[in-house]
Amino acid sequence: RAPRGAGPPAPHAEIEALTKAAGREEFVYTMLNSTISKDTTLTFDVVIVGSGCGGSVVAAQMAQAGKRVLVLDKGPYFKRRDMSSVEGEAFDKMYDRGGLITSEDTGISILSGSCFGGGSTINWACSLRTQDHVKKEWATEYGMPMFADGTFDAALDAVCSRLHVTIDGVVHNGSNSVLLKGCEKLGYEVDTAPQNLADVSWWQGGGFVSCGDRYGNKQTAT
C-alpha cells in the first residue's frame, strides 16, 4: 500500500472539490497589464519590485496605511489550474533560471521563485526564524541594530501570525516520523519545523507544494 500522500498529482476537478469543501476557494487576481491596451498614465504612491516574501509584506503594510500600491514582477501569474505539480515543468516555468542558480563559488544551490508570489509560491512551507547568532552578526558587524533590539523579532511575529505559522497539530509522514524518533532515541536536539499552512494536518498535495500549491493550504504571498 502506498503511503498517505504518495502517488501522482490529483486531477484538477478532484482538487477543486476538496478545496471547496474545506472552504479554500481561490481568490483570483486581475493583473493590471491585462487591462491596458494603449498608452496610459498611472499614478501610485508606492511602486514595489517583486511580489515575493519581501515585496508582498511591504505592499501589505503600505496598502494598510492607505497608500496606492503597484507591485511589479517579471514572472507570470499561475492560478491553481495552471499548476501541474510536475517537478520538471515547475522548475522550468516557476523557478528563476530553471532552479540552476548557485552561489558565486557554486557551493550552494539557490532555489528562488520567478513567478507571482516569488519564493512563497514554490517553497516547502517550512518557516524557520532567523537564528540568534545570525541576528547578532548582522547587528554588530554590519551596523543594523534592529536585528538585536527586538524590532526584527516583532516584524517576524507579525508575519508569522498573518501566515498562520505554527507547529501545533503538524502531522509527520512516515520518513519524518522515523527520523524524529531516531533523533530522540539518540539524544539529539530535534523539534518540529513550523509550517505556514491553513491546516497543518491536511496532507493532500503536501508532497507537491514546491511546485505550487493547488490545494490553497499553503499561506503564500498571494
Side-chain angles (χ1 to χ4, degrees):
R1 182 181 178 183
R4 187 174 69 169
H12 286 294
E14 178 182 325
I15 294 174
E16 288 174 355
L18 285 170
T19 54
K20 185 175 181 179
R24 292 201 296 271
E25 295 186 62
E26 183 175 14
F27 177 86
V28 178
Y29 289 85
T30 298
M31 298 291 106
L32 184 61
N33 53 301
S34 68
T35 69
I36 300 173
S37 59
K38 58 183 180 180
D39 291 346
T40 187
T41 299
L42 303 172
T43 302
F44 297 92
D45 300 310
V46 182
V47 177
I48 297 170
V49 179
S51 61
C53 299
S56 62
V57 172
V58 177
Q61 292 295 305
M62 292 293 100
Q64 289 174 356
K67 303 297 183 181
R68 181 170 167 79
V69 181
L70 174 66
V71 178
L72 302 175
D73 200 295
K74 68 176 182 179
Y77 169 38
F78 289 91
K79 303 181 183 69
R80 292 179 192 171
R81 290 189 65 87
D82 300 328
M83 301 173 182
S84 68
S85 292
V86 175
E87 189 173 64
E89 184 175 328
F91 267 76
D92 184 48
K93 296 181 177 181
M94 304 177 78
Y95 284 70
D96 203 8
R97 301 184 191 178
L100 297 177
I101 299 176
T102 66
S103 57
E104 187 174 357
D105 63 1
T106 72
I108 300 175
S109 296
I110 301 172
L111 299 178
S112 58
S114 185
C115 55
F116 186 55
S120 74
T121 300
I122 50 88
N123 67 17
W124 274 105
C126 180
S127 304
L128 303 177
R129 298 179 74 98
T130 309
Q131 294 181 304
D132 289 341
H133 73 274
V134 176
K135 293 186 292 183
K136 182 178 179 181
E137 177 184 341
W138 289 348
T140 57
E141 296 188 24
Y142 298 98
M144 296 184 286
M146 72 287 294
F147 289 104
D149 63 10
T151 302
F152 180 67
D153 289 330
L156 281 185
D157 289 341
V159 171
C160 288
S161 176
R162 178 162 180 169
L163 296 184
H164 193 253
V165 175
T166 184
I167 63 172
D168 296 334
V170 170
V171 177
H172 296 287
N173 62 16
S175 58
N176 283 346
S177 296
V178 170
L179 180 62
L180 189 65
K181 291 176 181 177
C183 289
E184 291 172 344
K185 189 173 182 178
L186 292 170
Y188 296 158
E189 183 178 352
V190 61
D191 205 347
T192 299
Q195 300 176 4
N196 59 310
L197 299 174
D199 182 356
V200 293
S201 65
W202 178 278
W203 58 268
Q204 287 96 334
F208 302 107
V209 292
S210 63
C211 304
D213 178 22
R214 297 192 294 156
Y215 293 81
N217 190 30
K218 185 170 64 172
Q219 304 301 283
T220 70
T222 60

